[in-house]
Structure formats: C-alpha cells, structure tokens
Amino acid sequence: MSAIINKGAVGTEPIWQDRARLTFFALPWTFTKYTLLEDKLKIDSGLLTRKHDDVRLYRVLDVSVEETLIQRIFGLGNLHIKSSDKSLGDFTMKNIKGATDVSDAISEAAEAARKSNKVSTREFIGNDSTDDDIDE
C-alpha cells in the first residue's frame, strides 16, 4: 500500500497529509494529523487540548523507517526523524500508511528546502576511540 503523495504541490498545497493510525486494522482513529508542505512538516495532535508543532524541512537531518510484522501486514510503519529543531528535536511518527513512500517524500522535500534556503548540513563522523587507545 502506498501513500498518496502530491509531487506537484506548490506553496501551501500539501505534498502529503494523513492521520496517525491505530495498528489494529490500520484505521485512522487517532487525533494526530501530519501535513507535509513545501517548506515544513506540521504536526497537529490532541482532542480537547490541541498541540501544533512545525518543523522546517531544512532542519530535517535524517529519516528512517521501522516496520514491525503487524505493521507490515497492515501497510504501516514508524518514521524516526532526526532534526535540529530546538523545540521538537528528534521525534517519531507512529503508524504511518506507506511509510517508505512518505520517508522518501520528506527526504526529497527536505533537500529541496535546504537548496532553496541555501542551507548546508555538515555531518560529523564520531570518533569512537578513547584516550586509552593512544600509544605512548
């Protein structure tokens, strides 16, 4: 099952929009809504108390997909997003229909946002050695 992704979206028109789903039968009976726009990912959640979060796409550093057996049966997956956003940081979008397609769409939109904002990301390769490894 693939997600419906509008690759020709411009401006405020959503590239992708969906609700988080329950693992059981993949029904969208939750109160979390995700909207991918050209420049940001919007997360709206809650029933009585609403919470709105925006992540500028140029701040998205990495997107990974995790699918359990049950999620694969229903065409769902979890998206783990690493971002440099100060308020949200790293977060997980749970039970997303067509998670691999959505992951690709977020990655492509993030790269386009970095180019349009002239933002470059620098990856630092961690050094796993310790001071004990140094020969004297």
Side-chain angles (χ1 to χ4, degrees), residues 54 59 83-90:
D54 289 345
R59 295 183 185 270
S83 77
S84 61
D85 187 75
K86 298 291 183 198
S87 64
L88 201 55
D90 298 348

Side-chain angles (χ1 to χ4, degrees), residues 65-126:
V65 178
E66 177 186 19
E67 299 170 322
T68 64
L69 177 61
I70 297 295
Q71 286 176 321
R72 285 195 328 247
I73 290 170
F74 292 110
L76 303 175
N78 296 335
L79 295 178
H80 302 289
I81 299 180
K82 293 185 184 242
S83 77
S84 61
D85 187 75
K86 298 291 183 198
S87 64
L88 201 55
D90 298 348
F91 60 97
T92 300
M93 297 167 56
K94 294 185 179 185
N95 296 324
I96 302 299
K97 187 173 185 178
T100 303
D101 293 337
V102 175
S103 170
D104 292 343
I106 291 172
S107 294
E108 289 172 14
E111 187 62 32
R114 281 193 286 276
K115 284 180 182 176
S116 70
N117 287 302
K118 298 179 179 151
V119 174
S120 67
T121 59
R122 297 182 184 176
E123 295 185 37
F124 296 99
I125 299 173

Side-chain angles (χ1 to χ4, degrees), residues 10-134:
V10 179
T12 58
E13 186 179 336
I15 296 170
W16 168 80
Q17 186 172 350
D18 202 1
R19 292 190 178 277
R21 295 167 182 271
L22 298 175
T23 305
F24 186 68
F25 295 123
L27 297 172
W29 289 344
T30 65
F31 299 101
T32 302
K33 180 180 174 184
Y34 302 105
T35 305
L36 177 62
L37 300 172
E38 185 178 271
D39 62 338
K40 63 184 167 184
L41 176 64
K42 295 173 62 174
I43 304 168
D44 299 317
S45 60
L47 174 63
L48 299 176
T49 302
R50 301 285 297 161
K51 180 179 178 186
H52 305 281
D53 281 312
D54 289 345
V55 177
R56 296 284 173 192
L57 289 176
Y58 67 84
R59 295 183 185 270
V60 172
L61 303 174
D62 185 46
V63 182
S64 61
V65 178
E66 177 186 19
E67 299 170 322
T68 64
L69 177 61
I70 297 295
Q71 286 176 321
R72 285 195 328 247
I73 290 170
F74 292 110
L76 303 175
N78 296 335
L79 295 178
H80 302 289
I81 299 180
K82 293 185 184 242
S83 77
S84 61
D85 187 75
K86 298 291 183 198
S87 64
L88 201 55
D90 298 348
F91 60 97
T92 300
M93 297 167 56
K94 294 185 179 185
N95 296 324
I96 302 299
K97 187 173 185 178
T100 303
D101 293 337
V102 175
S103 170
D104 292 343
I106 291 172
S107 294
E108 289 172 14
E111 187 62 32
R114 281 193 286 276
K115 284 180 182 176
S116 70
N117 287 302
K118 298 179 179 151
V119 174
S120 67
T121 59
R122 297 182 184 176
E123 295 185 37
F124 296 99
I125 299 173
N127 186 354
D128 292 334
S129 67
T130 63
D131 290 338
D132 297 335
D133 294 340
I134 298 174

